């Protein structure tokens, strides 16, 4: 009886201070919530994480580094508070309702963040698959995340307004035009992402060139709204996804797949240096191993053709030229060059003459796509061709420079000086 009397005395005393009873109950409730949070995170979550680390299955390292389970564990203290707040005395129904609504909103946000984290993990696992370079899904996952956040916002709004989601959606029907305007870029980006994926226009790792946006480099990331390109000068260019559908760009993927890169460069020949080959020059060129068979075939061909013009002037007969012989030499040189792909086109051709000379274009493919190696092969070829060009009696056209004009002026000055004294 004394025990019950003691309890009754405490209860009577506490009834005199309702705020103290309320604070004590709130403290006990918060203590239970913290205890539940500790058990969920330090015992359950840590145990699951250690279990994942011990299993050592594929992609276990990705799962252990992300906090999906830890985010879900945040729901536990919220549930404790939602259910325990009704036991706190002297709280108004309005206050209890507000706390419960805040707890529900926290749960909705936690679930949305956990799903978003799970989608990020799914994307990381998918990127380890070699096929992911051809079919990236990051943009689609970002769209799913956006939908989840919108649904989460509607659920929170419906919780505070005490309405279900479908009623809210019906009310938002009149705002469809406004929403379309707000999410215009997202819709355009989604359509562009579908087109890019369907037509396999761009993949991660592709070298693309888009002069209108100063993009020239490798694609390193593809998301819903943007595609990131790391340029060769190590800068980054961010391209709106829909620009790849509406604007023109060049994708160099085909070059990498073939394993050969085109060389298309001209040497400008001084047209005044073009002439017919003399017999002495023809004998000289026969010492060139690359020209021996060409000269024999060409001489036999010209001899057969010129039989009908033996009694005519030399003007009617076909003769070998130094530039034609040089073209044959360059073709033979390219076909035996170790850096030139022999499965692709190898061609040496004359282009339309210009005021800067006669362009002799080398059209071939290096057997590598590595930039440094490609430039080395191309430079070696043109180093050799420019050095051997005088052997054919040809000259490279070059516009007069300051030193040329100065030498010409000095030469004219000497001539005038000599003429003055001779007179």
């Amino acid at each position: 009886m004394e025990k019950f009397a003691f309890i009754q005395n405490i209860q009577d005393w506490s009834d005199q201070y309702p705020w103290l009873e309320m604070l004590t109950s709130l403290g006990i409730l918060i203590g239970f919530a913290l205890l539940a949070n500790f058990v969920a995170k330090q015992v359950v979550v840590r145990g699951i994480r250690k279990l994942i680390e011990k299993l050592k299955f594929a992609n276990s390292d990705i799962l252990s580094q992300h906090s999906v389970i830890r985010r879900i564990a945040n729901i536990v203290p919220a549930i404790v508070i939602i259910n325990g707040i009704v036991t706190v005395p002297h709280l108004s129904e309005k206050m209890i309702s507000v706390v419960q609504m805040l707890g529900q909103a926290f749960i909705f946000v936690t679930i949305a963040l956990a799903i978003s984290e799970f989608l990020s993990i799914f994307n990381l696992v998918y990127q380890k698959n070699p096929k992911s370079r051809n079919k990236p899904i990051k943009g689609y996952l970002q769209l799913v995340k956006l939908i989840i956040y919108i649904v989460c916002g509607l659920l929170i709004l419906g919780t505070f307004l005490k309405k279900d989601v479908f009623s809210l959606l019906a009310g938002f029907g009149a705002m469809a035009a406004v929403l379309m305007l707000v999410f215009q870029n997202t819709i355009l980006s989604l359509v562009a992402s579908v087109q890019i994926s369907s037509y396999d226009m761009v993949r991660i790792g592709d070298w693309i060139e888009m002069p209108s946006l100063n993009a020239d480099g490798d694609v390193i990331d593809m998301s819903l709204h943007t595609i990131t390109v790391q340029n060769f000068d190590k800068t980054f260019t961010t391209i709106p996804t829909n620009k790849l559908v509406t604007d023109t760009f060049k994708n160099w993927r085909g070059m990498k797949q073939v394993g050969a890169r085109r060389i298309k460069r001209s040497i400008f020949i001084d047209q005044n240096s073009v002439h017919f080959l003399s017999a002495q020059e023809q004998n000289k060129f026969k010492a060139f191993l690359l020209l021996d068979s060409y000269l024999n075939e060409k001489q036999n061909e010209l001899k057969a053709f010129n039989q009908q013009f033996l009694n005519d002037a030399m003007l009617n007969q076909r003769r070998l030229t130094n530039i034609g012989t040089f073209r044959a030499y360059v073709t033979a040189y390219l076909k035996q060059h170790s850096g030139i792909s022999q499965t692709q086109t190898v061609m040496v051709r004359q282009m339309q003459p210009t005021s800067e000379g006669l362009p002799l274009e080398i059209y071939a493919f290096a057997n590598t796509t590595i930039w440094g190696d490609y430039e080395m092969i191309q430079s070696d070829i043109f180093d050799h061709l420019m050095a051997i060009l005088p052997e054919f009696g040809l000259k490279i056209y070059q516009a007069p420079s300051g030193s040329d004009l100065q030498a010409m002026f000095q030469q004219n000055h000497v001539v005038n000086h000599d003429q003055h004294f001779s007179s």
Side-chain angles (χ1 to χ4, degrees):
M1 294 296 294
E2 293 180 359
K3 181 179 181 180
F4 288 109
F6 176 74
I7 295 175
Q8 185 64 37
N9 291 333
I10 294 176
Q11 187 174 0
D12 293 339
W13 178 80
S14 64
D15 288 340
Q16 298 177 6
Y17 305 97
W19 58 271
L20 182 60
E21 186 178 5
M22 181 183 66
L23 292 178
T24 304
S25 301
L26 282 175
I28 294 173
L29 178 61
I30 294 173
F32 274 115
L34 292 175
L35 179 62
N37 183 63
F38 176 82
V39 173
K41 291 184 177 179
Q42 302 299 323
V43 179
V44 179
V45 174
R46 183 173 293 183
I48 294 175
R49 184 167 292 179
K50 287 184 177 180
L51 179 62
I52 292 174
E53 291 175 355
K54 288 183 178 180
L55 290 178
K56 295 296 181 183
F57 57 89
N59 303 312
S60 61
D61 55 332
I62 296 178
L63 295 177
S64 62
Q65 291 173 4
H66 289 75
S67 55
V68 176
I69 303 174
R70 190 176 183 85
R71 287 189 182 278
I72 295 176
N74 290 329
I75 297 176
V76 176
I79 293 175
V80 172
I81 291 177
I82 289 173
N83 292 283
I85 194 68
V86 295
T87 64
V88 177
H90 309 296
L91 273 180
S92 64
E93 292 185 1
K94 186 176 182 179
M95 182 62 67
I96 293 174
S97 177
V98 170
V99 172
Q100 288 180 333
M101 287 189 294
L102 289 173
Q104 290 178 4
F106 177 79
I107 291 175
F108 291 146
V109 172
T110 302
I111 293 175
L113 292 175
I115 296 175
S116 176
E117 189 80 12
F118 174 77
L119 293 175
S120 298
I121 294 174
F122 181 78
N123 184 52
L124 291 175
V125 174
Y126 179 75
Q127 285 180 347
K128 288 194 171 184
N129 189 334
K131 295 181 180 179
S132 65
R133 297 178 64 87
N134 303 339
K135 301 290 182 181
I137 61 172
K138 185 177 180 179
Y140 303 114
L141 294 181
Q142 286 180 332
L143 179 63
V144 174
K145 289 180 182 180
L146 178 62
I147 295 174
I148 291 172
Y149 291 141
I150 292 174
V151 172
C152 176
L154 291 175
L155 289 173
I156 293 174
L157 189 60
T159 300
F160 283 98
L161 297 178
K162 296 183 179 180
K163 292 184 179 181
D164 60 273
V165 178
F166 297 102
S167 299
L168 291 175
L169 290 175
F172 281 127
M175 298 178 61
V178 178
L179 292 176
M180 289 286 289
L181 182 62
V182 172
F183 295 103
Q184 178 182 6
N185 291 333
T186 300
I187 295 171
L188 291 175
S189 298
L190 174 62
V191 174
S193 296
V194 173
Q195 289 180 309
I196 291 171
S197 178
S198 300
Y199 296 108
D200 196 19
M201 296 168 63
V202 176
R203 304 174 187 171
I204 293 178
D206 282 357
W207 169 17
I208 67 171
E209 186 178 348
M210 200 170 188
S212 60
L213 296 178
N214 295 323
D216 186 11
D218 297 327
V219 177
I220 61 173
D221 184 61
M222 297 178 64
S223 61
L224 178 62
H225 294 92
T226 59
I227 290 178
T228 304
V229 176
Q230 184 175 21
N231 301 310
F232 293 124
D233 59 359
K234 302 307 177 184
T235 59
F236 294 92
T237 300
T238 302
I239 303 173
T241 305
N242 61 302
K243 286 289 185 181
L244 293 182
V245 178
T246 59
D247 294 1
T248 302
F249 71 97
K250 182 187 290 186
N251 192 331
W252 292 80
R253 186 199 312 158
M255 175 198 69
K256 292 185 177 181
Q257 290 176 342
V258 173
R261 185 172 176 182
R262 187 181 67 176
I263 298 174
K264 186 175 181 289
R265 183 181 291 183
S266 298
I267 298 177
F268 287 83
I269 306 296
D270 186 346
Q271 298 175 80
N272 293 321
S273 64
V274 177
H275 62 265
F276 291 112
L277 291 181
S278 64
Q280 182 180 359
E281 288 177 318
Q282 293 183 34
N283 293 330
K284 169 189 171 182
F285 289 139
K286 283 190 175 182
F288 287 61
L289 296 178
L290 297 177
L291 289 176
D292 186 38
S293 59
Y294 164 79
L295 289 173
N296 291 332
E297 293 176 5
K298 204 68 177 177
Q299 286 174 343
N300 292 333
E301 176 189 339
L302 297 180
K303 184 177 180 180
F305 179 84
N306 292 333
Q307 288 292 329
Q308 55 186 321
F309 300 108
L310 288 179
N311 298 325
D312 296 340
M314 290 287 292
L315 296 176
N316 295 326
Q317 297 182 3
R318 291 174 58 188
R319 287 179 285 174
L320 287 171
T321 62
N322 59 344
I323 192 168
T325 306
F326 180 68
R327 282 193 297 109
Y329 172 82
V330 176
T331 303
Y333 176 76
L334 293 175
K335 287 186 176 180
Q336 58 84 41
H337 197 286
S338 60
I340 297 298
S341 174
Q342 303 304 322
T343 60
Q344 304 296 325
T345 303
V346 177
M347 180 171 56
V348 181
R349 59 177 181 169
Q350 287 187 24
M351 305 298 288
Q352 179 71 26
T354 67
S355 58
E356 297 180 350
L358 176 63
L360 195 66
E361 185 182 80
I362 283 78
Y363 192 100
F365 288 82
N367 57 9
T368 180
T369 61
I370 300 174
W371 191 8
D373 295 344
Y374 162 79
E375 294 292 350
M376 185 66 69
I377 292 171
Q378 183 172 233
S379 299
D380 286 344
I381 290 173
F382 280 87
D383 288 347
H384 175 78
L385 296 183
M386 286 188 288
I388 204 170
L389 195 64
E391 298 290 335
F392 292 84
L394 294 169
K395 295 180 181 180
I396 295 178
Y397 175 84
Q398 181 172 302
S401 63
S403 58
D404 295 327
L405 297 176
Q406 185 177 8
M408 184 185 303
F409 175 78
Q410 291 177 350
Q411 184 178 2
N412 291 334
H413 179 72
V414 171
V415 171
N416 292 333
H417 184 270
D418 293 341
Q419 290 177 349
H420 175 73
F421 279 99
S422 63
S423 61

